[in-house]
Amino acid sequence: MNNIISTSEAIDQLSKTEKVGQLFMPAAFINDTEEEIQQLEKLISNHHVGGLCFFHSRASAATNFEGKKKVVVNENSYEVLRNLIKRYQKAATYPLLISIDAEWGLAMRIENTPQYPYAITLGANVKNIDLTYEVGKQIAKDCKAAGIHWNLSPVVDINTNPNNPVIGYRSFGDNKENVVSLATAFVKGTQSEGVLTSIKHFPGHGDTATDSHLGLPVIDKTKVELLENELYTFQQLINQGVDSVMVGHLSVPALTTNKNMPSSINKDIISGILRNEMGFDGVVISDALNMHAVSKNYPTLGELEWLAFDAGNDVLCFAEHIEEGIQMIVENATDTQINKSIERIWTLKEKAFRKTSLEQGLTDPSSLNRKIAEQSLTLQIGTANEIEAFRKTNHCTITIKRYSNNQSKDEILASIEEMQNEVTDESDVLLLLTPPQIKPTNKFGFLQQEIDFVNQLIQTKKVVLYHFGNPYALKFFNINKTTATVIAYQNFKEFQDVATEHFLGTFEAKGKLPVSLT
């Protein structure tokens, strides 16, 4: 499927309806039934959609479904992904642009594939930008191996709100210059392998406490403040040349006369700010159009798709009403409007299909993950000398983590009770703490009893705490009263090994927490 006509040929040869079909990028799911796969094949064939965005399953997609359905575990997800891509490409008249969210690797969507560290972990390591370049490069290799052209990454939102429910660990931090330098490295690493990128979520999703999958976040700042912060990272990356910008579902009153219109379907924000004021003429892709921030407000089928296109989006991601959307755009859009988007999309397609890559396997992340673990480990509270003195005491070690997804509340509470008995007569405790989940919902998965137990330990004992996970989870614990708190960011073996060496005094912590916890 590497034979693709030129952009000028596409504009001349495709019918108006075919061109409009190219604007659409519906979701494809690894764990679909054969019936659902055939429905998507028919959609591709009949409506000439331009691309697909892959998700793991309908139960975990971007999403109306999250938390309501059980997510199926599929040991062969990667092979299923590759086979589905080949199958869908076969159904297409024109080559499909295949995309995925692979912010920390294919593992973000596909189990049993390489996983690299989260952006927040890379943000702890601003002294060695080359490692972030390598992460972008390695992830791009895995995308190519699967048949994916477009990694919808990186996040360039500045996470200035510790209560942000959806960005948080996906951001490089709360310092705009660090975000720019790390995002640039990630983009360049990705581009070095011929894979496309998309910076997101314009005009900036970092300072909000609302999840746009569920509701519409409001960014209530002046335009001057936005230009100095939220928009700054986008402008810097645009100046250096990026393939595409993804527009988020946000209410940003200072940037529009239509205060109630979300950014993703707002002409003032996309055509006005992004295109005219910031000078971006590449592909603009909407964030998933099934997200509740927008989808629940437009019950007329096809209307949301038309509004998104008319506002300035070239690619309509996760559009759910394609037939109606095509019809409405064909009826309402001008030929000039459609051809301009096709020109942008086809230029991207030509770039994506320019290189024919030889069959290759997946990368091995362990060596790079070890280097990142060494550079990011952060001594947040205390000193190396205090840890050394603690190490010489007759301390006991307590580990709080989930060893299985099936642990019941009763089992967890029984484990806490057992630990309480263990430490009754102890004065010095080494606490190894792994939050049950990376996302902040429901206190990162901690039971209140676990939080109370840890805080009681800190209050009554000398505690050295090693934390393996999203550092924002530490806001539930009174870490200022610990003898020392060390942040390892990930629970990978490489990060555990480095933390062990640090505790034993053979390794120095070099990282710096890239966000404020309060």
Side-chain angles (χ1 to χ4, degrees), residues 4 52 65 132 162 169 211 278 304 516:
I4 183 166
L52 297 174
F65 311 102
T132 302
Y169 67 101
D211 183 346
M278 297 177 72
L304 176 58
S516 169

Side-chain angles (χ1 to χ4, degrees), residues 210-238:
T210 303
D211 183 346
S212 55
H213 294 92
L214 307 173
L216 184 65
V218 179
I219 311 292
D220 201 9
K221 294 185 174 182
T222 66
K223 187 171 179 181
V224 170
E225 288 173 318
L226 292 165
L227 286 167
E228 286 179 358
N229 295 285
E230 277 77 0
L231 294 171
Y232 178 83
T233 54
F234 288 94
Q235 186 68 72
Q236 295 305 310
L237 270 292
I238 286 167

